[in-house]
Amino acid sequence: MESRKEERNESFILTEDVKVRQEKKLRIEQKATVSSETQPSVTATLTLQFPLPPKVMSVGELDTQFKIAEHNPTPIKLSFPQKPIVTVNSLDTTFSISEISVPIQKLHFQPPPTVMISSLDISFKVDEEKVKLPKLFFPPKVTVSVSSLDVSLSSKLTTFERNDKELLESKKKDVRLDVDFLNNFFSLTSSIIDVTNGTILIVYDENKPGIEDSLKYIATEIALFHGYETNPITISSVSDLTRIELKDVGTRSGIFVLKKDLCNSIQEIENILFDSLNGISGYKYSIIIMPKCLYNTLSPKILFKPKRIVIEKLTREEISTLAYLASGFQLDWKGYDALDRTRQMFEDLLSSARRWLRRNYISLDIPNLGNETDLHRNLKAFILKHLIENEKIDGKSIYVESYIGNLKPDIYVIDRNLAIDAKTSIGHLPSDELLDVQKYAGFAKSIWAVMRPIAVLLDLDGIIGRLKDSDRQGIDMEVLIPVKDKLVTLEEFINEGKKYMAELLQGGRRAKP
């Protein structure tokens, strides 16, 4: 028992000796520390770089270990397709923007398409064979980053609607024209232009030599509006009965002109005319132009009245002014028959433009694949001549009979985003043709409807109404008329006629008698 107690005491003493030794060691180390503090020391400043600010998880002292690389790392240059967006407060890095050009595949269009908008979202495929085609022309709004495109499209162009803001910002036009100087003419035409069947009777003053010829021209043009293209039949004497049955007057379609000479033979033809005029209440479209001397004799005996009866009150100055306008500012003739002299003169004006086009720009002389009349094709030629010579538009910027989306204007001018249609007014009222061209407002900034002078004069009220309606819709549409060697606006056309008549009334213009 005593031996075990001694062992435990020895163990206790041993532990105490270890403690003493540790205290001695600590005192020695403290002396060494004091000694080292008296020695001079070298302090080195070290700058640390971190890819991101370090996160310190405690507020006390930071005791960490690290090692310094033997050499400075080489900065890596970064390349971005565009400037990166930095989301931290500080970023110490080096980068550069690549300026390497992206190779562009040259493509081809067949035929060259018309691009009218700033962006084009379309699918296409590249043909293996390359075909050289004309350079593309874009309207001013389109920004193209390459000089040319060579593309073969496998899909159609998309037509884009003009936005509401653009429509509202289009220039407003106040369509106001002083047409009082032609009041007698408009009173005559406005009462018969809307008749599509039945008989129209126009009564003229036989004391106005040649006025029936001007009325014949007016009647022929109005009949064209309704699709009746016919040669008027003139009956001037009893001997004319050998080539035409007078009973046909009023009972079949056509235009019949009874000359004042028949007044001298009224007793011989009265019964025939009486029977004929009793049949004029049918549905067949016809126009009878009759002198007042015959009408006064026959009208009390006519049982059935024609659909419309109009008594003309035209003056010689009005007829001469109308002829000046209808000829395209060419005919200066003072006479009641002046209007009948204008047709060939105006058609010659258009034919001359067609010859000019074929000599100089035959590539633009493109026919409509439908049933196109010579009048329509010549009218297109006059428009093209005006655009090139007067508007100074490059022929390469003009497209004729080309589809723009699913629409095909007669002429489209890319540089101006301008759609143009030539209107002959055959089978349609001119005002209805204006309603048709409004469809181009879906892609074109401006619309021109080019019309014959006589068509504009005959349906002037309707044309002005359509222009006002287009203006209310924000559609920039104008009516232009061929005259001499240029196109003029409707306002210029009417003002020129007003000026011409004023000179006639004042005796300042010497029209041919």
Side-chain angles (χ1 to χ4, degrees), residues 486-500:
K486 63 180 179 179
L487 295 173
V488 296
T489 64
L490 180 60
E491 182 178 6
E492 292 170 331
F493 180 71
I494 295 300
N495 288 341
E496 178 66 17
K498 184 178 180 181
K499 177 182 176 183
Y500 182 90

Side-chain angles (χ1 to χ4, degrees), residues 112 114 366 398-405 407-412:
T114 303
I366 301 174
I398 301 173
Y399 287 82
V400 181
E401 300 292 350
S402 296
Y403 276 98
I404 313 299
L407 297 176
K408 185 175 72 171
D410 290 334
I411 298 168
Y412 180 70

Side-chain angles (χ1 to χ4, degrees), residues 82-98:
Q82 59 183 9
K83 289 186 178 181
I85 299 175
V86 181
T87 58
V88 296
N89 293 333
S90 64
L91 179 64
D92 186 6
T93 186
T94 304
F95 67 91
S96 64
I97 298 176
S98 175

Side-chain angles (χ1 to χ4, degrees), residues 330 344-360 378-379 381-382 385 389 484-485:
Q330 296 181 95
Q344 191 61 47
M345 186 173 288
F346 180 73
E347 291 181 356
D348 289 345
L349 180 67
L350 299 184
S351 297
S352 175
R354 175 81 180 281
R355 291 192 297 272
W356 175 90
L357 184 67
R358 291 179 63 81
R359 285 195 305 266
N360 299 283
N378 292 346
L379 195 54
F382 191 95
K385 185 173 185 287
E389 286 203 330
K484 287 187 177 178
D485 55 356

Side-chain angles (χ1 to χ4, degrees), residues 153-210:
L153 292 180
S154 60
S155 60
K156 294 182 178 179
L157 288 174
T158 303
T159 301
F160 289 81
E161 297 290 335
R162 295 172 63 194
N163 57 49
D164 293 337
K165 183 178 180 181
E166 183 181 355
L167 292 177
L168 293 174
E169 291 177 352
S170 63
K171 183 179 180 181
K172 296 291 183 180
K173 300 182 294 298
D174 190 8
V175 185
R176 294 182 182 179
L177 298 174
D178 181 5
V179 296
D180 290 344
F181 65 101
L182 294 176
N183 263 347
N184 292 326
F185 171 73
F186 295 131
S187 177
L188 168 70
T189 59
S190 62
S191 61
I192 62 177
I193 194 173
D194 60 332
V195 177
T196 59
N197 58 68
T199 299
I200 300 170
L201 180 60
I202 302 176
V203 180
Y204 68 89
D205 185 353
E206 65 271 14
N207 295 315
K208 300 174 182 178

